Amino acid sequence: GQFENQQRAAARLGIVVPIALAMIFLLLFVTVGSLHQAMLVFVNIPFALVGGIFSLAAAGEYLSVPASVGFIALLGI
């Protein structure tokens, strides 16, 4: 039942996520017109997430709803 559904969903995500990331990279490349610039933007997103988590920890804050909205906005940019 539920275990099989989870396995199917994980397999589907294993296909969909790389395709989505490739499409995002392609859009970045078309937008900026440079492979170097597109890679620079694409690689810096995980660093921004780590910086946000460290900032929350340094401020002594928890992952609250406003912080989650900030992370969603960060990923949207």
Side-chain angles (χ1 to χ4, degrees):
Q2 199 170 19
F3 182 71
E4 289 93 12
N5 287 339
Q6 183 183 10
Q7 284 184 327
R8 279 194 302 262
R12 188 173 298 138
L13 280 175
I15 295 169
V16 171
V17 169
I19 291 172
L21 290 175
M23 290 174 63
I24 291 169
F25 183 78
L26 181 66
L27 286 172
L28 275 171
F29 176 70
V30 169
T31 301
V32 297
S34 167
L35 184 65
H36 184 269
Q37 293 285 332
M39 287 187 67
L40 188 65
V41 171
F42 203 70
V43 169
N44 278 321
I45 293 171
F47 292 125
L49 289 174
V50 170
I53 292 170
F54 280 144
S55 297
L56 282 175
E61 296 290 327
Y62 297 105
L63 186 64
S64 60
V65 173
S68 298
V69 170
F71 279 113
I72 292 169
L74 176 66
L75 290 173
I77 291 173

